[in-house]
Amino acid sequence: MRVTQSMLSNNMLRNLNNSNSKLGKYQEQLSSGSKITRPSDDPVATVKGIGYRTELAKNSQYTRNMTTVNSWLDSSDDALKQVGSGLQRVQELVTQAANDTNTDEEREKIKIEIDQIRQQIRDVANTQVGDSYIFSGTKTLSPLFTSSTANSSKDDKDVPLNGNSQNVTIEVYDGVTLDVNVDGATLFRKIDNLMADVQTALNDDDALNAGTTSGTVIGNLLGDIQDGQEDALQARSVIGAKQNRADMMADRLSIQKISTTKQMSDNEDVDYEETITNLITEESIHRAALSVGGRIIQPTLVDFL
């Protein structure tokens, strides 16, 4: 095959153009820090990158969900702690009232404080996280005790409750959900009925005027109050177990984020040492091509004018 001068010139120009493209590619990689500037650079790596970004987006959402989980559990634990403290104070007051040396006036003062504790426990039962009532089961938009009930000092039992006993679940991983509440409806109904019994005992005029009988009637409630404290403590232990699992899940999400980020970096990020070396090598090749190209192009009459 006869190689003409035009063929040599065209090949030289094509090679110089390719060399310029490689130089531009390495410079763009160094400036952007990414090996992929467009999907055509590496289709396989591009598809993997999309997958990694999807995983990170899901991880970010699950991490935000974990914030909600921790808010519910922490608020529940604090609320139940207040309930336990209230019942402990009720136990002290009932122990004091069970002593028949107390006068009617002294027991009336005790009853007034117990009335306030009952209302405080009802307020705690209506604890909210954001706009959600955490002890109302899945009826998170309704308070467990209505405002009229929560502020009532009547010693009635089995007052209507708005909540239910169903679990509130939050997704924290693919196919993994956590229950973030306790059965507040059952717990607070039992405690509220207990408080009603205490109020009734202190309101019983016949018992109050019956000498030692009044102390016996009131003292008999101490066992029930102890049971109420145990119920509140049991609910706190359930919350504690859920908090431990939430902490483990948070660690899992953190580890997954680090692992996925590393994989995405290995897939896309530039190896600066290697890229700089390639750039220097390509620059040397380009200079050599320019030098050889000057020799390939034959002189013309213009060169001698």
Side-chain angles (χ1 to χ4, degrees), residues 49 85 89 122 126 173 179 188 205 254:
S85 298
R89 178 58 181 163
R122 286 176 171 180
N126 290 342
Y173 205 75
D179 297 337
F188 282 100
D205 294 334
S254 178

Side-chain angles (χ1 to χ4, degrees), residues 108-125:
E108 180 62 24
K109 293 177 181 178
I110 292 174
K111 178 186 175 299
I112 291 174
E113 182 174 354
I114 287 179
D115 291 345
Q116 293 300 312
I117 293 175
R118 185 184 187 187
Q119 292 181 37
Q120 175 61 22
I121 291 177
R122 286 176 171 180
D123 290 339
V124 170

Side-chain angles (χ1 to χ4, degrees), residues 59 65 85 106 217 229 284 297:
N59 183 281
N65 291 354
S85 298
E106 290 172 334
V217 172
Q229 289 177 310
S284 299
I297 299 177

Side-chain angles (χ1 to χ4, degrees), residues 196-264:
D197 290 338
V198 174
Q199 288 177 309
T200 299
L202 292 173
N203 267 336
D204 190 345
D205 294 334
D206 294 335
L208 292 177
N209 295 324
T212 56
T213 304
S214 61
T216 302
V217 172
I218 296 172
N220 287 338
L221 295 171
L222 289 173
D224 295 334
I225 296 173
Q226 184 65 37
D227 290 341
Q229 289 177 310
E230 291 293 332
D231 290 338
L233 187 60
Q234 175 65 24
R236 288 191 68 188
S237 68
V238 172
I239 291 295
K242 293 180 179 181
Q243 285 175 321
N244 289 336
R245 187 181 178 193
D247 290 341
M248 289 188 291
M249 184 56 66
D251 290 340
R252 181 179 180 183
L253 289 172
S254 178
I255 293 172
Q256 185 203 36
K257 180 179 180 180
I258 294 173
S259 175
T260 304
T261 301
K262 182 179 182 302
Q263 291 173 349
M264 187 172 69

